[in-house]
Amino acid sequence: MFVMKNLNIVLVEPQIPQNTGNISRTCAVTGAKLHLIRPLGFEVTDKNLKRAGLDYWDKLDITYYDNLEDFYRRNDGEYFYFTTKGLNVHSEVTYPDNCYIFFGREDKGLPEKLLYDNKERCVRVPMRNELRSLNLSNTVAIATYEILRQWDYPDLSREGKLTEYLWD
């Protein structure tokens, strides 16, 4: 029997609406749940947010939280913190069902105390040391698809279709 796995993407105080819109689209097409922790650097009605998420906003499973404490009170699972400061490579970690992957503000990342307290759960996407970071929405997409690859892409289509022709 096939059981859909749950992936949870947690954005802690996102500041740029276009990033959150792109991430919401990634969540919609993969079935990942989106968790937004306030304060947000924009209004959810922001036209840039809606434009980046296109017409997928109604396809999202999205939950809002007042702060990190509110999030932790309402959720339980295995947490992984994506950060340029992480000691573990994202593709060398095994992610269980119902895991939560955290991403911080575009300008600050996740709080260092949170990272320090969760050293073994801090992961990073490899990149050149002399550069600051990848774009947030790109990092979320990389992480999401690594986890889905490990899970053998549950409930996702593996074949595309042409609009004017049929594949032989």
Side-chain angles (χ1 to χ4, degrees):
M1 180 175 98
F2 175 78
V3 177
M4 178 60 187
K5 293 191 174 193
N6 292 309
L7 176 57
N8 297 277
I9 296 172
V10 182
L11 302 183
V12 179
E13 301 180 10
Q15 299 298 298
I16 301 173
Q18 294 89 335
N19 281 335
T20 301
N22 288 335
I23 293 164
S24 69
R25 186 172 182 158
T26 297
C27 290
V29 301
T30 62
K33 297 175 183 174
L34 181 60
H35 303 264
L36 295 179
I37 299 179
R38 295 181 180 102
L40 309 179
F42 50 85
E43 296 294 324
V44 174
T45 57
D46 189 304
K47 68 179 180 177
N48 293 321
L49 177 71
K50 299 288 186 170
R51 183 182 307 135
L54 293 177
D55 55 348
Y56 297 152
W57 200 251
D58 64 329
K59 311 289 189 275
L60 282 173
D61 182 343
I62 186 168
T63 306
Y64 298 90
Y65 304 88
D66 291 331
N67 50 46
L68 271 170
E69 293 76 24
D70 182 28
F71 172 86
Y72 287 122
R73 244 190 331 271
R74 296 166 53 187
N75 294 284
D76 188 32
E78 290 196 46
Y79 306 131
F80 298 89
Y81 303 93
F82 276 74
T83 172
T84 58
K85 301 166 184 81
L87 300 176
N88 303 295
V89 174
H90 77 289
S91 56
E92 295 174 355
V93 172
T94 300
Y95 302 90
D97 183 18
N98 201 41
C99 64
Y100 293 80
I101 56 175
F102 284 69
F103 302 87
R105 290 173 56 134
E106 291 91 340
D107 59 344
K108 294 181 182 179
L110 292 165
E112 279 212 358
K113 176 72 169 127
L114 177 66
L115 301 177
Y116 182 78
D117 290 344
N118 294 281
K119 176 182 176 181
E120 297 306 317
R121 299 275 178 174
C122 292
V123 296
R124 75 177 264 127
V125 175
M127 55 176 270
R128 293 169 53 194
N129 283 331
E130 63 271 13
L131 299 175
R132 190 174 59 246
S133 66
L134 287 166
N135 174 274
L136 178 63
S137 63
N138 292 338
T139 305
V140 171
I142 290 167
T144 298
Y145 273 90
E146 171 57 25
I147 294 168
L148 294 172
R149 182 197 65 78
Q150 289 184 17
W151 294 352
D152 197 30
Y153 302 106
D155 202 34
L156 298 181
S157 175
R158 292 175 175 260
E159 296 180 5
K161 296 179 182 176
L162 298 172
T163 56
E164 298 181 29
Y165 302 93
L166 295 176
W167 293 112
D168 293 331

